[in-house]
């Protein structure tokens, strides 16, 4: 199960809670190759209802937009590419 976001430079997990009914016989937490937090639940027997309730409290840190170095002609939209940078058609 993937019920919570991955922390990053602008996102901090303050609190997480995962409520599963019926309670699993086994619950394992691990990280996948992308560092996502994964829960694996195993159950015994059968049930009429399976419920997952995930509660997450986050802190989002606002980051300034990057100040890209743009050519003067690229500061307005629409803009034209120079002859050297314009895409070319290779149709035959």
């Amino acid at each position: 199960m993937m019920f919570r976001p991955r922390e990053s430079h602008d996102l901090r997990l303050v609190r997480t809670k995962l409520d599963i009914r019926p309670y699993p016989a086994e619950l394992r937490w691990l990280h996948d190759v992308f560092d996502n937090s994964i829960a694996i639940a195993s159950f015994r027997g059968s049930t009429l209802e399976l419920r997952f309730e995930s509660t997450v409290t986050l802190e989002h840190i606002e980051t300034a937009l990057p100040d890209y170095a743009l050519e003067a002609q690229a500061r307005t939209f629409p803009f034209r590419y120079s002859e050297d940078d314009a895409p070319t058609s290779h149709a035959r």
Side-chain angles (χ1 to χ4, degrees), residues 32-50:
D32 68 8
V33 295
F34 301 108
D35 205 30
N36 294 306
S37 187
I38 308 291
I40 300 175
S42 301
F43 301 91
R44 290 196 183 101
S46 60
T47 185
L48 296 176
E49 178 182 60
L50 178 60

Side-chain angles (χ1 to χ4, degrees), residues 30-75:
L30 55 107
H31 287 104
D32 68 8
V33 295
F34 301 108
D35 205 30
N36 294 306
S37 187
I38 308 291
I40 300 175
S42 301
F43 301 91
R44 290 196 183 101
S46 60
T47 185
L48 296 176
E49 178 182 60
L50 178 60
R51 180 179 297 210
F52 300 94
E53 184 176 331
S54 176
T55 306
V56 180
T57 303
L58 305 169
E59 179 181 11
H60 183 254
I61 297 99
E62 185 176 350
T63 56
L65 293 175
D67 184 21
Y68 295 112
L70 295 176
E71 301 274 338
Q73 66 269 19
R75 294 190 183 274

